[in-house]
Amino acid sequence: MKALLPIVLLFSLSILGASTTVMIQGNSSSGHYALELKSSALSISLSSNGTVNHSTVTLPLGGTWTLVAREGAAKVHYPSLGTIRMDEVTVAHPKLAIHALSIKKKGAGISLESGPLSLALFSFNDQWQDSLFVRYREVYEGTAFFARLKRDGTRCGVDVEVSFSERRSCSATTSTWVGAGPLRLVERFGPSPGEREMEARLDMAHHRLSASLSLTTALGCEAIYSGEFQEKRTAIKSELRVPLFTFMVHLSLETSLALSSAGEETRNQVVALSLMKGRWHLVLRQRIGEGTALSAGDGSSTVSLTGGRISASFVTREGPWTFTLQFGGKGTFSLLWRYTATIDRGSGSPR
């Protein structure tokens, strides 16, 4: 690992753009340190525990073609793949994108995207699990084909995905919405069997005054074991923004009722009142049955009172140095520091 560190650093510096930002940060209490390099092409961080993380890498290929590498959730491309993570390498053009997707320990595939239409072919690994504990209609094995049509208009939109494999046969995931004036209706089916959701939302605004009201009802996956319930959730949320002199007052109320697969009901009601002006804010949050939380700050410093415990965070900047002083609710204390420098390679002689 120690031998790989300078190699990774040299490779990163060689492909970074004309202007690169180097940040070194650490935590005095935990002894954790990290080095982060940022440019228009790449952001990569190296931690003292040996982990390496990178964000989206974008490199020009000439003309209007670009090469993009990133890591993210597979559902961005096809909703039925759910929340599993994947590595992606994309060759993109304004009218066409070719995605090479690798789902860790699960399989790989290639996807073609042109406008609202996407087509993909995947090869998935076999699942070495007892079939009694796997929803057979949610498991991909072997070769699978995906097709997706996503189109949004001014008054309506549609997002339909159809997939086919030997194990799942044919399945579909759909999401449609229609809007008329301030009213918007959304209906979703899938990706899991029996899963569906409907949302009605009303938005109104006049100058700096705005109000919204939404009602959401959702059903989870179908129960497959005796004695289980199909999960259900109902939520009502309302928001109101009113200008008061030079301040903006934000009031929100959210009430939800959830039924778990074991038949247990959970009720939540949260009331929040915010007073904002520029970067300054004062927030009072009340959750029924769990007490009140109060926080105030100006963007760089924040003081909070939750459950009778006070916590605070203060940020100070001196040139390339940034210091963050944190006090925890249980008497904990930490000091985070960051040093930032810019490397300009445009002149041919690095600084």
Side-chain angles (χ1 to χ4, degrees):
M1 178 58 67
K2 292 182 179 180
L4 290 177
L5 184 58
I7 298 176
V8 173
L9 282 174
L10 289 175
F11 175 75
S12 303
L13 290 172
S14 67
I15 64 176
L16 290 175
S19 180
T20 304
T21 300
V22 181
M23 291 185 295
I24 305 174
Q25 58 185 358
N27 189 326
S28 60
S29 60
S30 64
H32 179 268
Y33 302 93
L35 171 66
E36 185 175 359
L37 301 98
K38 286 186 178 181
S39 77
S40 59
L42 171 66
S43 175
I44 184 171
S45 63
L46 308 173
S47 300
S48 56
N49 58 8
T51 59
V52 179
N53 298 309
H54 71 84
S55 64
T56 301
V57 181
T58 304
L59 299 175
L61 298 179
T64 57
W65 292 90
T66 57
L67 177 67
V68 181
R70 63 167 65 93
E71 181 185 0
K75 67 178 181 180
V76 172
H77 293 281
Y78 299 96
S80 63
L81 292 179
T83 58
I84 56 178
R85 306 292 292 178
M86 67 176 182
D87 294 317
E88 171 189 345
V89 177
T90 300
V91 178
H93 184 270
K95 296 184 178 179
L96 176 67
I98 304 174
H99 308 279
L101 308 174
S102 175
I103 302 176
K104 297 178 180 179
K105 298 182 181 180
K106 292 183 179 292
I110 185 169
S111 174
L112 302 179
E113 180 181 354
S114 179
L117 181 63
S118 300
L119 301 174
L121 187 65
F122 276 87
S123 177
F124 291 97
N125 300 330
D126 293 334
Q127 301 291 326
W128 300 101
Q129 295 174 303
D130 192 326
S131 60
L132 291 176
F133 301 97
V134 177
R135 296 179 182 270
Y136 71 95
R137 284 183 291 178
E138 298 182 20
V139 174
Y140 285 108
E141 289 183 345
T143 303
F145 173 77
F146 293 79
R148 184 183 185 186
L149 176 64
K150 184 178 181 180
R151 190 79 175 185
D152 282 326
T154 56
R155 298 295 180 185
C156 61
V158 62
D159 186 355
V160 179
E161 178 209 318
V162 178
S163 60
F164 177 82
S165 67
E166 298 177 359
R167 181 74 176 265
R168 291 173 54 120
S169 186
C170 186
S171 60
T173 301
T174 64
S175 176
T176 57
W177 67 270
V178 294
L183 182 63
R184 181 185 176 100
L185 300 176
V186 183
E187 189 173 38
R188 304 182 184 92
F189 291 92
S192 299
E195 188 176 4
R196 53 193 183 273
E197 179 180 341
M198 177 174 286
E199 178 186 1
R201 185 178 181 89
L202 184 65
D203 292 288
M204 294 175 291
H206 180 69
H207 298 297
R208 297 179 62 194
L209 177 66
S210 63
S212 65
L213 176 65
S214 65
L215 171 63
T216 304
T217 59
L219 287 175
C221 304
E222 293 178 353
I224 59 175
Y225 299 113
S226 176
E228 279 194 341
F229 292 80
Q230 187 172 7
E231 296 179 355
K232 183 178 181 180
R233 179 176 60 88
T234 303
I236 301 176
K237 185 175 182 180
S238 59
E239 294 184 347
L240 177 65
R241 292 178 180 267
V242 181
L244 179 63
F245 304 112
T246 58
F247 297 91
M248 177 63 71
V249 180
H250 180 203
L251 176 64
S252 66
L253 172 63
E254 182 175 1
T255 303
S256 63
L257 173 63
L259 177 69
S260 69
S261 59
E264 299 176 349
E265 285 190 353
T266 303
R267 297 177 182 270
N268 281 317
Q269 189 171 33
V270 180
V271 181
L273 177 63
S274 305
L275 187 64
M276 296 171 287
K277 181 182 179 181
R279 298 179 59 186
W280 184 88
H281 71 274
L282 175 64
V283 180
L284 176 65
R285 186 180 180 89
Q286 171 73 47
R287 182 183 294 272
I288 304 302
E290 296 186 12
T292 304
L294 178 67
S295 66
D298 62 356
S300 60
S301 301
T302 304
V303 179
S304 302
L305 175 62
T306 305
R309 295 178 177 177
I310 298 178
S311 59
S313 175
F314 304 97
V315 180
T316 302
R317 294 178 176 87
E318 293 291 341
W321 292 92
T322 301
F323 298 94
T324 303
L325 186 63
Q326 295 180 342
F327 298 91
K330 296 182 179 180
T332 58
F333 163 81
S334 65
L335 175 64
L336 289 79
W337 56 266
R338 172 179 292 183
Y339 180 83
T340 304
T342 301
I343 302 175
D344 188 357
R345 298 170 54 199
S347 62
S349 56
R351 292 206 301 262

